[in-house]
Amino acid sequence: QVQLVESGGGLVQPGASLRLSCAASGRSVSSYGMGWFRQAPGKEREFVAGISWGGRSLYYADYLDSVKGRFTISRDYAKNTVYLQMNNLKPEDTAVYYCAAGLKSRTVVLKEVREYDYWGQGTQVTVSS
């Protein structure tokens, strides 16, 4: 069991940066594959970034193609928190962002909604002039 709480969203102008946090309570985030998804109005929830690991010094991350080079997913074991650093934000990044934890694997990045078992409540990111 794990509870996930996202924070860090807000209203920013194009080109700005935000850092989203996903604080986990209960089990360590190292027990799960962790991911970030987003959902814009009228659209399906889509994979943004995911992270897996086989140890504290081993990890693998994957990203939605449109955010590669701009977004970075990371984790802090001591704080039991996963982050999504978002740079050079664009209007098309506007969405509710969700943190998710999946039991299926922690060594392979999980990219499908159905592969995740726990979800945060979401945090709104709005990029507008």
Side-chain angles (χ1 to χ4, degrees):
Q1 290 290 128
V2 64
Q3 293 78 48
L4 306 173
V5 179
E6 304 98 332
S7 62
L11 173 62
V12 298
Q13 295 184 336
S17 296
L18 285 172
R19 189 188 194 191
L20 305 183
S21 296
C22 174
S25 60
R27 297 289 300 278
S28 169
V29 294
S30 65
S31 298
Y32 306 92
M34 301 296 298
W36 287 94
F37 289 74
R38 67 187 183 188
Q39 188 166 23
K43 297 183 179 180
E44 295 184 354
R45 192 169 298 187
E46 67 176 347
F47 171 82
V48 176
I51 191 167
S52 64
W53 44 75
R56 294 184 181 273
S57 62
L58 299 174
Y59 75 96
Y60 178 76
D62 202 3
Y63 302 88
L64 176 68
D65 189 63
S66 63
V67 309
K68 289 181 178 177
R70 298 190 296 120
F71 291 11
T72 302
I73 186 171
S74 62
R75 79 287 188 186
D76 186 322
Y77 288 108
K79 296 181 179 180
N80 204 30
T81 299
V82 176
Y83 303 96
L84 184 67
Q85 178 67 46
M86 306 186 294
N87 297 327
N88 191 25
L89 284 161
K90 302 177 180 181
E92 53 263 42
D93 295 318
T94 296
V96 177
Y97 283 71
Y98 297 91
C99 177
L103 292 167
K104 185 176 181 179
S105 178
R106 59 183 181 85
T107 56
V108 176
V109 174
L110 307 175
K111 298 182 179 181
E112 303 294 331
V113 169
R114 66 177 184 273
E115 295 179 303
Y116 286 85
D117 302 282
Y118 304 99
W119 296 84
Q121 82 288 352
T123 185
Q124 178 70 48
V125 172
T126 302
V127 185
S128 177
S129 299

